[in-house]
Amino acid sequence: MGSADSKLNFRKAVIQLTTKTQPVEATDNAFWDQFWADTATSVQDVFALVPAAEIRAVREESPSNLATLCYKAVEKLVQGAESGCHTEKERQIVLNCCRLLTRILPYIFEDPDWRGFFWSTVPGAGRGEGDEDDENARPLAESLLLAVTDLLFCPDFTVQSHRRSTVDTAEDIHSIDSCEYIWEAGVGFAHSPQPNYIHDLNRTELLKLLLTCFSEAMYLPPSSDSSNTNPWVQFFCSTENRHALPLFTSLLNIVCAYDPVGYGIPYNHLLFSDYREPLVEEAAQVLIVTLDYDSSTSSSPTVDGTTTGTAMDDVDPPGPDNLFVNYLSRIHREEDFQFILKGVARLLSNPLVQTYLPNSAKKIQFHQELLVLFWKLCDFNKKFLFFVLKSSDVLDILVPILYFLNDARADQSRVGLMHIGVFILLLLSGERNFGVRLNKPYSVRVPMDIPVFTGTHADLLIIVFHKIITSGHQRLQPLFDCLLTIVVNVSPYLKSLSMVAANKLLHLLEAFSTTWFLFSAVQNHHLVFFLLEVFNNIIQYQFDGNSNLVYAVIRKRNVFHQLANLPTDAQAIQKGLQRRKKTPEPISRTNSQDGVSMEGSRPAAPAEPGTLKASLVATPGIDKLTEKSQVSEDGTMRSLEPEASQLSPEGNPPAALSDGESWSGEASHSRRERRRLSSASSSGQWTPTPDWVMSWKSKLPLQTIMRLLQVLVPQVEKICIDKGLTDESEILKFLQHGTLVGLLPVPHPILIRKYQANSGTAMWFRTYMWGVIYLRNVDPPIWYDTDVKLFEIQRV
């Protein structure tokens, strides 16, 4: 039968279903088989031939028929899994049911009255063979998930058969050990099966259905209640799923082994179409969804392998019930870590390779999913995090992240990408090794829209952060605290900043310490505190190699003097605020000596009008997101529990933030409070008072810098007068050999603000991840135009 006929028959069946007002009996196989037995419809056909309006109409007007359709489709999948799908006809039926369920499920989820349907038992579908005892009946959802997992390890359908002869009886799907059928070599599996594109296509369709099952999460509004587990994921990742381990390993290995360049030969992808990529994308999406787990509520292993939790934890089995999270946290072999890190770095770098060898490799689009996966790896497996930081391989992750941050800074539709990139760098910056690694010279010349410089990876990081702050869009302002926290965390380890980076840091201080900026919002002065901490760390711990920074501080000494003499009287405060009217941008780009951008780079572009984007929940403030640790002489860290004595710069204890609050500084008013304080509503605008300015001005950590200026400025001026110099190289030479030993105040202890897991970020990751998955699945558009509640789809 031609495909046109088959489409026509399928469409006829759909019309019959939508026009029948009477329930059709489940036993009427002649009717139900029309949907899957005689048709060869692609998933795109199914989406075109089953319009949304008709699914909704059946749901409202003849609910029993929709229920029977779902039940019968699941039954067919279960039968296929039982039989092992040996004939072409059986495989076709399985794929048709798979496509139909992928089409219908979102419409079941969007209606709260239907949500429990898949978790109800269907009479007569017993767990045991032959016993029709309804006590034992499985919920439909469980039958569906178990059938799909069996089908993912079905010889000759989704995996290579190990049987040599055709005469031999077909492999019994229940006796096979699926660990021998892992899809790709890598973690825990050494054998790389021969690629088979039919198997890849079948796996992709089954994974699409799995992802659709898991997507019930999209139809529930965001809540900070972490007990809100996804029942589909919970069952799928439990011991009920006998394929959990091989499936987890298959998904991870398929992603990390993928090489989009086309087996190492440039331009190869132009000759061969790549069946692997859609599978890799689907695998990455399924993997991150199964790993959606709030680690802040569980006991997590600390560095020495003991768990930080209550004494109660001993009663529970080790590790979380979610087996995927459990397996991920228990990977420990060096070669497995190497395989994962190399794979993720190769894929993240793919868009960069594009820029200097255009079209040489296939450009992948799933970097956001990869970043979520990398985050999960570091968050759930501390040994992996330490492995990443043990060598300079971490820079192969850093450079692509900085590339994405720089590229997306002007694009409103990519705010989520900006956040996850910054989150990962915040997590890494809490470890001393990250700061140390940044001293490696940066020689990769990825064309980026930043000034040309010669220096280290630390210079690259500072220059990109400066670019984001001075020329990103307004919605990135909540990230400023976080960007500067990262710079503070790495600053004690930076051996030698370039002149370009040193000037950028001083330009930021100049911009953030203008009176109108300091007085115009209650938390703006925190940015100045962070920058002063950076300068203090470098001067106290890395003075010797940092003559460029010292020179820049001397040149811009008036900025520090102005801060020290910041006026606090009411009249001066008003005058400072008047200036705001003349300066529309929060930070001017003037006198930042930007210089020429790198060759071959394109300026960061805003989103095309009409681009779709998913809304995000707000992220917790920096004080909620991090915990202060003090570094001892021997390099070990101890956590500083917030004590009552640790007052914030405002002089009051940090106000508690609810999880939905935006980023803010150490002490912060809740968002509502802040809106009230700083909005010019009739209730009166928040106005800075002399007491308020005094409360934090008195705490500005200026002593070290003032002492440095007091000692060095007269010497530098003397050289200039004596030698008639205006040449900075001579001054730099003098500063290189200078020393301040014994002249500076006693070094302060190094404070690191380490990321700490919390339910606010867990919720942020959930909304971000599902928003990405929603927008990336356009062919077919699985969730498009359904009533999702987790986020809003907006047009730029």
Side-chain angles (χ1 to χ4, degrees):
M1 176 169 63
S3 93
D5 295 345
S6 122
K7 278 185 209 175
L8 196 61
N9 290 352
F10 178 74
R11 180 66 192 139
K12 275 184 192 155
V14 174
I15 292 170
Q16 281 179 356
L17 182 71
T18 50
T19 50
K20 277 195 194 301
T21 46
Q22 294 307 307
V24 183
E25 287 302 317
T27 47
D28 184 354
N29 286 331
F31 176 75
W32 298 111
D33 283 351
Q34 307 177 85
F35 289 96
W36 40 74
D38 316 315
T39 57
T41 45
S42 69
V43 67
Q44 285 79 7
D45 293 337
V46 171
F47 272 69
L49 299 171
V50 188
E54 293 180 16
I55 304 174
R56 288 187 178 120
V58 176
R59 186 183 72 195
E60 306 310 322
E61 288 146 35
S62 36
S64 73
N65 286 345
L66 183 60
T68 307
L69 181 67
C70 290
Y71 160 60
K72 296 292 283 186
V74 172
E75 186 183 56
K76 286 293 171 199
L77 291 180
V78 172
Q79 286 168 6
E82 292 286 328
S83 73
C85 278
H86 296 302
T87 65
E88 198 45 56
K89 186 171 172 59
E90 283 176 290
R91 290 173 200 160
Q92 197 54 59
I93 289 175
V94 161
L95 290 171
N96 286 336
C97 291
C98 188
R99 291 160 189 164
L100 195 58
L101 286 166
T102 302
R103 179 60 171 144
I104 293 170
L105 274 166
Y107 298 90
I108 301 259
F109 295 151
E110 74 175 358
D111 185 336
D113 298 337
W114 274 82
R115 221 164 275 148
F117 168 70
F118 269 87
W119 295 96
S120 57
T121 48
V122 176
R127 285 178 191 229
E129 306 299 307
D131 70 318
E132 291 297 301
D133 197 352
D134 286 343
E135 301 295 290
N136 278 339
R138 272 198 184 283
L140 201 52
E142 294 185 6
S143 306
L144 170 55
L145 290 171
L146 293 175
V148 172
T149 54
D150 275 342
L151 288 163
L152 285 167
F153 292 98
C154 185
D156 289 326
F157 180 53
T158 49
V159 291
Q160 298 265 285
S161 171
H162 290 185
R163 298 276 166 171
R164 291 287 162 266
S165 82
T166 43
V167 187
D168 221 338
T169 54
E171 287 164 280
D172 175 6
I173 192 142
H174 293 284
S175 65
I176 73 169
D177 173 6
S178 44
C179 285
E180 293 172 13
Y181 290 86
I182 289 171
W183 300 350
E184 186 55 82
V187 176
F189 195 64
H191 167 66
S192 186
Q194 191 60 37
N196 178 320
Y197 86 93
I198 299 287
H199 294 173
D200 277 2
L201 293 174
N202 295 341
R203 291 164 176 173
T204 304
E205 298 234 30
L206 288 161
L207 290 178
K208 219 182 259 310
L209 174 56
L210 263 185
L211 197 57
T212 310
C213 291
F214 297 158
S215 72
E216 184 178 346
M218 283 195 209
Y219 297 89
L220 301 170
S223 83
S224 54
D225 178 15
S226 50
S227 60
N228 206 341
T229 44
N230 182 329
W232 295 85
V233 172
Q234 196 174 8
F235 179 80
F236 181 78
C237 297
S238 74
T239 48
E240 295 268 359
N241 177 0
R242 70 188 182 101
H243 302 295
L245 179 60
L247 195 51
F248 167 76
T249 316
S250 294
L251 295 172
L252 184 62
N253 292 352
I254 270 286
V255 172
C256 295
Y258 178 55
D259 180 5
V261 173
Y263 309 101
I265 305 158
Y267 304 101
N268 206 19
H269 70 286
L270 301 175
L271 308 176
F272 302 101
S273 84
D274 181 357
Y275 298 100
R276 188 48 55 110
E277 189 182 20
L279 173 62
V280 175
E281 287 205 2
E282 216 65 53
Q285 292 178 0
V286 169
L287 198 51
I288 61 178
V289 170
T290 54
L291 296 170
D292 176 16
Y293 178 81
D294 183 355
S295 60
S296 67
T297 56
S298 65
S299 67
S300 60
T302 51
V303 186
D304 55 1
T306 55
T307 57
T308 54
T310 57
M312 303 290 290
D313 290 332
D314 305 338
V315 190
D316 292 320
D321 297 333
N322 176 323
L323 290 179
F324 278 42
V325 174
N326 202 328
Y327 297 144
L328 186 79
S329 65
R330 284 170 29 200
I331 297 171
H332 61 275
R333 294 190 348 211
E334 293 256 321
E335 55 270 40
D336 288 343
F337 287 157
Q338 190 60 32
F339 164 74
I340 294 170
L341 181 58
K342 280 272 181 265
V344 173
R346 176 192 329 111
L347 292 169
L348 285 177
S349 309
N350 162 276
L352 286 62
V353 177
Q354 293 302 321
T355 51
Y356 46 84
L357 276 180
N359 303 324
S360 62
K362 184 173 176 141
K363 186 160 186 176
I364 61 158
Q365 302 295 336
F366 55 97
H367 48 273
Q368 300 193 85
E369 293 92 323
L370 286 164
L371 290 171
V372 175
L373 178 61
F374 183 75
W375 169 269
K376 299 279 180 197
L377 280 156
C378 293
D379 195 21
F380 296 157
N381 190 323
K382 286 296 168 256
K383 285 186 176 150
F384 177 75
L385 176 63
F386 298 136
F387 176 84
V388 168
L389 293 164
K390 202 170 73 174
S391 74
S392 52
D393 288 350
V394 65
L395 303 175
D396 298 336
I397 300 285
L398 170 74
V399 172
I401 288 178
L402 291 175
Y403 173 84
F404 293 130
L405 290 178
N406 188 56
D407 189 55
R409 67 177 194 267
D411 184 339
Q412 295 254 358
S413 70
R414 291 198 282 168
V415 177
L417 171 62
M418 298 293 295
H419 276 77
I420 188 166
V422 173
F423 273 149
I424 290 172
L425 299 183
L426 178 66
L427 179 70
L428 295 174
S429 76
E431 307 298 332
R432 172 183 180 273
N433 263 351
F434 182 64
V436 173
R437 298 285 158 236
L438 290 178
N439 290 309
K440 188 176 175 181
Y442 176 69
S443 50
V444 200
R445 285 286 167 245
V446 177
M448 282 165 80
D449 173 28
I450 53 171
V452 181
F453 72 99
T454 305
T456 65
H457 285 75
D459 295 308
L460 177 68
L461 178 130
I462 288 168
I463 290 166
V464 169
F465 283 10
H466 174 269
K467 219 27 169 174
I468 294 167
I469 292 172
T470 56
S471 65
H473 56 79
Q474 292 286 214
R475 294 208 28 224
L476 298 180
Q477 221 162 333
L479 279 176
F480 292 0
D481 272 339
C482 206
L483 292 168
L484 293 187
T485 298
I486 294 165
V487 181
V488 173
N489 282 348
V490 301
S491 60
Y493 311 110
L494 304 183
K495 294 199 179 317
S496 165
L497 286 183
S498 69
M499 191 59 94
V500 176
N503 284 334
K504 297 296 177 212
L505 285 175
L506 278 139
H507 176 244
L508 289 178
L509 183 70
E510 219 174 345
F512 290 146
S513 58
T514 60
T515 47
W516 74 258
F517 185 76
L518 285 173
F519 297 159
S520 60
V522 74
Q523 75 290 353
N524 281 356
H525 61 274
H526 295 300
L527 299 171
V528 169
F529 276 80
F530 285 138
L531 285 164
L532 292 176
E533 205 176 323
V534 170
F535 297 136
N536 288 338
N537 281 342
I538 294 178
I539 292 166
Q540 288 282 17
Y541 291 99
Q542 298 290 349
F543 179 83
D544 284 354
N546 273 298
S547 50
N548 287 328
L549 183 74
V550 173
Y551 178 65
V553 167
I554 291 173
R555 276 189 48 216
K556 293 281 182 192
R557 56 190 178 275
N558 63 323
V559 179
F560 299 97
H561 290 302
Q562 277 163 5
L563 268 175
N565 300 316
L566 190 71
T568 54
D569 57 291
Q571 197 184 352
I573 293 174
Q574 276 321 103
K575 198 172 156 195
L577 285 171
Q578 292 308 310
R579 295 193 187 159
R580 171 159 215 171
K581 306 203 170 40
K582 301 179 195 129
T583 324
E585 283 267 333
I587 291 172
S588 70
R589 284 161 222 183
T590 50
N591 59 25
S592 125
Q593 308 117 353
D594 235 8
V596 190
S597 271
M598 293 176 68
E599 210 178 325
S601 66
R602 290 192 322 270
E608 293 287 320
T611 306
L612 292 178
K613 69 185 178 76
S615 65
L616 291 162
V617 291
T619 43
I622 195 76
D623 49 341
K624 266 281 186 295
L625 201 63
T626 55
E627 156 183 275
K628 289 186 181 157
S629 296
Q630 196 168 312
V631 182
S632 328
E633 301 272 313
D634 59 358
T636 55
M637 288 194 196
R638 68 188 175 85
S639 168
L640 295 179
E641 290 308 314
E643 298 146 28
S645 66
Q646 249 190 317
L647 293 179
S648 58
E650 258 87 74
N652 47 18
L657 276 119
S658 75
D659 285 326
E661 300 304 1
S662 61
W663 294 90
S664 65
E666 305 293 295
S668 112
H669 296 259
S670 76
R671 228 173 358 154
R672 228 165 314 146
E673 177 82 343
R674 226 177 17 240
R675 207 174 294 134
R676 194 171 62 71
L677 286 173
S678 49
S679 69
S681 61
S682 52
S683 63
Q685 188 181 1
W686 172 76
T687 42
T689 60
D691 286 350
W692 172 78
V693 178
M694 279 304 296
S695 73
W696 55 261
K697 179 190 166 180
S698 60
K699 298 191 179 70
L700 284 167
L702 287 165
Q703 304 80 335
T704 301
I705 293 169
M706 288 309 186
R707 185 78 187 112
L708 171 137
L709 293 173
Q710 199 185 349
V711 173
L712 293 179
V713 170
Q715 299 181 4
V716 169
E717 285 177 338
K718 187 171 187 310
I719 295 176
C720 294
I721 293 163
D722 290 356
K723 304 199 171 169
L725 281 183
T726 48
D727 176 21
E728 58 182 52
S729 60
E730 284 288 328
I731 299 167
L732 282 167
K733 207 178 297 172
F734 161 72
L735 290 174
Q736 267 158 15
H737 299 106
T739 174
L740 291 175
V741 176
L743 296 171
L744 291 177
V746 178
H748 54 283
I750 295 174
L751 270 190
I752 301 291
R753 292 171 181 81
K754 285 172 83 87
Y755 167 81
Q756 56 170 354
N758 59 77
S759 51
T761 37
M763 193 63 231
W764 185 89
F765 272 96
R766 181 174 306 159
T767 52
Y768 169 60
M769 167 184 83
W770 278 114
V772 168
I773 291 170
Y774 178 106
L775 292 170
R776 299 259 298 104
N777 282 275
V778 287
D779 184 25
I782 302 180
W783 300 281
Y784 193 70
D785 269 346
T786 58
D787 188 14
V788 292
K789 294 278 193 292
L790 186 61
F791 45 80
E792 287 171 38
I793 295 295
Q794 304 157 337
R795 285 192 185 276
V796 172

